[in-house]
Amino acid sequence: MTFNINTTRALIALSFCCYLPLVVASESIPAEHDDTKTPAITNAEPSYRFYGEMGVGGYTALEGDYKGKYEDGTYIEGGVEGQYGHWFGLIYGEGWTVQADHDGNAWVPDHGWGGFEGGINRFWGGYRTDDKTEIILSLHNDSSLDDLQYWADFTPEFGYELPNTRDIATAVKVQNLSGDFRYSIIATPAGHTDEDKAWLHFGKYDRYSDKYIYPAMANGYIQYDFMKDVTWMGGTEITDGTGQLFVTGILTPNFGARVWHHTGRGEGLGNPGTETGAMVSAMYEAFKGFYLSTAYSYAQHNLDNDPDTTTSYAQFGIWYEYGGGKFATAFDSRFNLGNSTDDSDNKIFLMQYYYWGH
């Protein structure tokens, strides 16, 4: 892609971001791709909810060595949620296919199916007080900031991932997600689980448990609705030896923006340095259940051991929900811009979802 073409795409995306909040009614409700709230108490009797989702589809590169080749993203997940009075809990698992070539190399586009990777990613229980404060103990859980991974991001797939700790094992989480002022905080010791210690293995390509290797950390956020349909958020993460993250942003029904700075992860855990970034995103409901979205993401990586890099890309996506919320079709596209040193290919994404039990 030339600089001129990419610049044009960026200007179109940015003008779309600025225009959409002006033409959309404030009553419009964006698609909820990730609802992390625990169920409301309805009675004192034991109640259970089986739910989950499945996605079939994946990615295609528009350039580079894998141009036009299919990269699988198929997955399935599900679990059971229960409550009894003030007590509640969840066990939830996930898994996805692994592509592999004829030489046994995993995660290679346009080759055969090589196996399956998965495990239990949420396993916790908690107590909810009368004022809706929740105290949760977990063996596997999302961190508080990971609960907000899609906050201020209306795009279906390629939105920038904040550099915070995600899946964690033993932890304590305290939160209150009701009212105009909400908060969540979680703390966990260092995680040492790796695939060799996993209770369940899906084969030689399964490295699912390796994601539970992380330093001791605590992260959390506060949110405040300071006027109707306008929310401010501030969050932070403190780690043992890999720096701190600071993030803040604003969210309305059709526009979101966030900025962040991490003092120790220039490009993830494996490459120290600093990262400073911003993302703006907008959404428009063209008709019931049919959402158009666009976004621009930028991150500057000042690395300790390598030359500095820049990530800069624009997106346009579609999210269509139908069948009473049981089905959704998603399309997303990512185009690196002229100021980006990211060597990833421009891509498109297409996925068909099915939801049950919600």
Side-chain angles (χ1 to χ4, degrees):
M1 296 294 175
T2 67
F3 175 79
N4 289 336
I5 293 176
N6 283 326
T7 302
T8 301
R9 286 195 177 109
L11 292 174
I12 292 172
L14 288 175
S15 63
F16 192 39
C17 284
C18 295
Y19 178 66
L20 284 180
L22 301 178
V23 300
V24 180
S26 61
E27 289 79 10
S28 180
I29 300 173
E32 269 194 308
H33 300 176
D34 189 23
D35 184 3
T36 59
K37 294 187 175 72
T38 50
I41 298 173
T42 56
N43 53 59
E45 299 299 323
S47 61
Y48 302 93
R49 180 169 73 103
F50 295 90
Y51 71 100
E53 62 186 73
M54 178 176 64
V56 179
Y59 312 82
T60 298
L62 301 177
E63 58 188 359
D65 294 338
Y66 297 117
K67 179 179 179 180
K69 294 184 177 182
Y70 171 67
E71 182 180 350
D72 195 22
T74 299
Y75 73 94
I76 187 170
E77 59 184 55
V80 57
E81 194 171 45
Q83 60 180 7
Y84 181 80
H86 290 270
W87 299 93
F88 58 89
L90 173 70
I91 182 168
Y92 199 85
E94 63 180 346
W96 52 86
T97 56
V98 178
Q99 285 180 304
D101 65 14
H102 299 298
D103 296 322
N105 300 308
W107 312 111
V108 180
D110 202 36
H111 289 284
W113 183 71
F116 191 77
E117 181 179 35
I120 300 297
N121 69 331
R122 299 177 195 168
F123 187 20
W124 45 257
Y127 181 86
R128 186 184 296 107
T129 67
D130 290 334
D131 70 352
K132 303 302 171 59
T133 298
E134 299 173 348
I135 301 97
I136 301 171
L137 301 178
S138 62
L139 296 179
H140 280 167
N141 205 347
D142 303 312
S143 70
S144 292
L145 280 180
D146 199 31
D147 288 342
L148 295 184
Q149 184 60 42
Y150 298 102
W151 192 87
D153 172 12
F154 297 108
T155 62
E157 178 66 14
F158 290 124
Y160 194 90
E161 293 186 354
L162 296 175
N164 62 270
T165 304
R166 307 189 188 287
D167 300 278
I168 55 180
T170 308
V172 178
K173 179 185 283 188
V174 179
Q175 62 186 21
N176 192 313
L177 306 180
S178 63
D180 291 339
F181 179 82
R182 300 173 296 279
Y183 68 89
S184 179
I185 184 170
I186 196 167
T188 180
H192 301 291
T193 302
D194 59 40
E195 192 58 40
D196 295 333
K197 301 175 183 177
W199 294 351
L200 182 64
H201 299 269
F202 286 105
K204 65 178 181 179
Y205 296 113
D206 186 12
R207 307 303 308 174
Y208 184 89
S209 291
D210 290 347
K211 66 182 180 179
Y212 294 103
I213 301 173
Y214 53 84
M217 73 92 201
N219 73 29
Y221 65 86
I222 57 174
Q223 290 180 325
Y224 180 62
D225 300 334
F226 61 88
M227 65 176 65
K228 179 176 170 48
D229 293 330
V230 182
T231 301
W232 168 81
M233 188 272 283
T236 188
E237 176 173 296
I238 302 173
T239 69
D240 181 14
T242 58
Q244 294 81 45
L245 168 69
F246 306 94
V247 57
T248 188
I250 199 82
L251 178 65
T252 74
N254 301 101
F255 177 79
R258 61 190 185 187
V259 296
W260 65 89
H261 177 72
H262 202 297
T263 66
R265 297 184 187 178
E267 284 184 328
L269 281 172
N271 205 339
T274 65
E275 176 180 309
T276 302
M279 178 180 179
V280 292
S281 180
M283 180 275 295
Y284 169 58
E285 187 176 12
F287 53 87
K288 183 175 177 55
F290 188 88
Y291 301 89
L292 304 175
S293 63
T294 189
Y296 171 67
S297 299
Y298 176 88
Q300 181 65 39
H301 315 275
N302 298 315
L303 307 178
D304 294 344
N305 304 318
D306 289 300
D308 296 345
T309 62
T310 300
T311 301
S312 176
Y313 62 90
Q315 293 170 254
F316 172 76
I318 297 171
W319 179 271
Y320 180 38
E321 295 180 344
Y322 50 96
K326 292 185 179 298
F327 299 93
T329 302
F331 167 83
D332 203 3
S333 56
R334 168 180 168 158
F335 298 96
N336 292 317
L337 303 181
N339 59 340
S340 179
T341 59
D342 193 327
D343 61 358
S344 61
D345 298 329
N346 296 336
K347 286 185 176 182
I348 58 174
F349 166 83
L350 183 64
M351 185 76 77
Q352 176 61 46
Y353 300 94
Y354 170 66
Y355 302 90
W356 63 89
H358 75 109

